[in-house]
Amino acid sequence: MIRAAFPALFEYTSPVWAAPMAGGPTTPALVVAAARAGHMAQLAAGYKTSQAMNDEIAAVRAAGVDLFGVNLFVPNTHVISPGAHADYARALGIDDAGDPREDDDAWNEKIAALVADPVPLVSFTFGLPRGEDIAALRDAGSLTAQTVTSLDEERAAVDAGVDILVVQGAAAGGHSGVWTAGALPAERPLAGLVAEIAAETGVPIVAAGGISSSAEVAELLGSGTDAVAVGTALLRAAESGTSSTHRAALEDPRFDETVLTRAFTGRYARALRNAFVDAHDADAPSGYPAIHHLTRPLRAAAAAEGDAEHLHLWAGRGWRASREAPVAEILAALVP
Ligand SMILES: Cc1cc2nc3c(=O)[nH]c(=O)nc-3n(C[C@H](O)[C@H](O)[C@H](O)COP(=O)(O)O)c2cc1C
């Protein structure tokens, strides 16, 4: 397969990118530090209001950084019935759960804001946006990137005309970008998935999931990948907004395994196995974002108490290699 040139925009950036991490870890300071050190980074707009996204974009620009991206959660409701929602609420000890709460993460407002005031790159996870939204962003001058976890998703993303594929393997920390409700990402080495996708499309590829050494980066760059993105490696970075409880758990020998679980949000995500996972993983239904909203007060209470056993401790399989250091130092060490 003839490969398209990686967009010229990234000619002077490192092949090691900072992956977007919503829920706190990705801060404007992290994006600025990565960009100043020559690495592409993206703000994580997921869970945020459109105004909060705009404020973060302004903060990055105010620091003199122009080359960065913004990551969005594509609305792709994994529907849950009121009965299954009520059953899980009872198992969690919640009496007054109410009806399942769905939302679209302010998708239309965010697209409108990004079209009105474009950034160099807009990336999508959880699903494929409507063609008209991809076209509007491209017409506004942005490159688009789509997270895919399988050949089927890759084919649909290429057909939709995205500029870059972010190929995410099952070792990745946090939510899997898998589109289908209830589906797990395939258990296979990232290099194999990338090679298979690279064999059938020339669209540039950024590989992500479980990367924790420059040797792994070298292997991926040699197998059809144009760049890699790391998330978990940056969770303990000085500029990241990861909570102190989450940071401590990442180096606590008590936590010795990661699992893909939907216990916290109703959508599979890789986390350190803790008491909440042990108690609820087996019964957790598919249901996103309803289960995210349902468990949120419990997780907020755990966070306030510094209780790592009942918090969503997102982590990829390479979490043991994460360390406390400036973002620039962590990313530089990953460049082959
Ligand atoms: C705490 C955390 C939050 C994440 N949030 C997002 C997100 O908002 N959007 C997204 O596309 N991916 C998100 N991811 C996935 C990362 O972008 C990336 O695919 C993953 O971190 C790569 O695997 P690694 O963690 O093993 O490096 C998140 C990952 C983590 C660990």
Side-chain angles (χ1 to χ4, degrees):
M1 174 58 61
I2 296 171
R3 308 208 52 75
F6 204 44
L9 197 58
F10 306 124
E11 194 178 352
Y12 299 109
T13 59
S14 163
V16 178
W17 292 21
M21 293 189 286
T26 295
T27 59
L30 187 153
V31 171
V32 168
R36 284 193 181 144
H39 302 268
M40 186 63 190
Q42 300 170 58
L43 290 167
Y47 308 128
K48 295 197 172 84
T49 62
S50 179
Q51 184 58 50
M53 176 188 81
N54 290 339
D55 291 348
E56 292 204 342
I57 291 171
V60 170
R61 287 184 179 143
V65 168
D66 294 320
L67 181 50
F68 64 98
V70 172
N71 175 261
L72 303 176
F73 291 170
V74 180
N76 176 9
T77 304
H78 293 183
V79 178
I80 183 168
S81 70
H85 182 259
D87 286 348
Y88 194 51
R90 257 190 306 279
L92 293 168
I94 300 171
D95 299 328
D96 52 350
D99 288 332
R101 181 181 151 200
E102 315 290 6
D103 69 66
D104 68 357
D105 204 47
W107 174 261
N108 291 327
E109 294 93 314
K110 287 174 187 170
I111 293 295
L114 290 168
V115 167
D117 187 8
V119 295
L121 176 73
V122 181
S123 66
F124 316 113
T125 190
F126 293 174
L128 187 65
R130 293 176 299 224
E132 68 210 64
D133 291 333
I134 296 174
L137 291 165
R138 294 189 74 182
D139 290 349
S142 298
L143 290 169
T144 56
Q146 175 68 48
T147 295
V148 297
T149 62
S150 66
L151 280 175
D152 284 348
E153 290 175 0
E154 169 262 309
R155 287 174 189 146
V158 169
D159 284 350
V162 298
D163 300 294
I164 295 170
L165 295 167
V166 177
V167 177
Q168 187 196 51
H175 283 116
S176 165
V178 72
W179 301 354
T180 310
L184 282 161
E187 249 327 316
R188 54 180 304 192
L190 179 58
L193 178 62
V194 165
E196 201 170 280
I197 287 179
E200 71 162 42
T201 176
V203 174
I205 292 172
V206 178
I211 297 168
S212 61
S213 72
S214 61
E216 288 165 277
V217 175
E219 184 198 356
L220 286 160
L221 294 177
S223 63
T225 304
D226 297 278
V228 302
V230 295
T232 298
L234 299 174
L235 280 174
R236 296 171 63 207
E239 299 88 345
S240 109
T242 310
S243 72
S244 53
T245 308
H246 193 172
R247 281 172 189 268
L250 287 163
E251 59 171 342
D252 186 338
R254 172 164 55 126
F255 301 109
D256 58 4
E257 191 187 353
T258 65
V259 287
L260 270 168
T261 181
R262 56 191 190 197
F264 294 106
T265 66
R267 174 179 246 293
Y268 282 112
R270 187 170 291 284
L272 294 176
R273 183 177 158 194
N274 62 6
F276 190 95
V277 173
D278 285 341
H280 301 297
D281 180 61
D283 302 327
S286 170
Y288 184 88
I291 301 301
H292 159 78
H293 291 304
L294 179 67
T295 67
R296 188 150 61 177
L298 303 179
R299 292 182 286 121
E305 288 165 19
D307 172 9
E309 292 292 353
H310 297 88
L311 201 58
H312 54 293
L313 302 170
W314 298 155
R317 281 217 180 104
W319 93 97
R320 286 237 191 265
S322 71
R323 59 194 173 100
E324 303 267 348
V327 162
E329 197 179 310
I330 295 169
L331 292 174
L334 289 167
V335 179

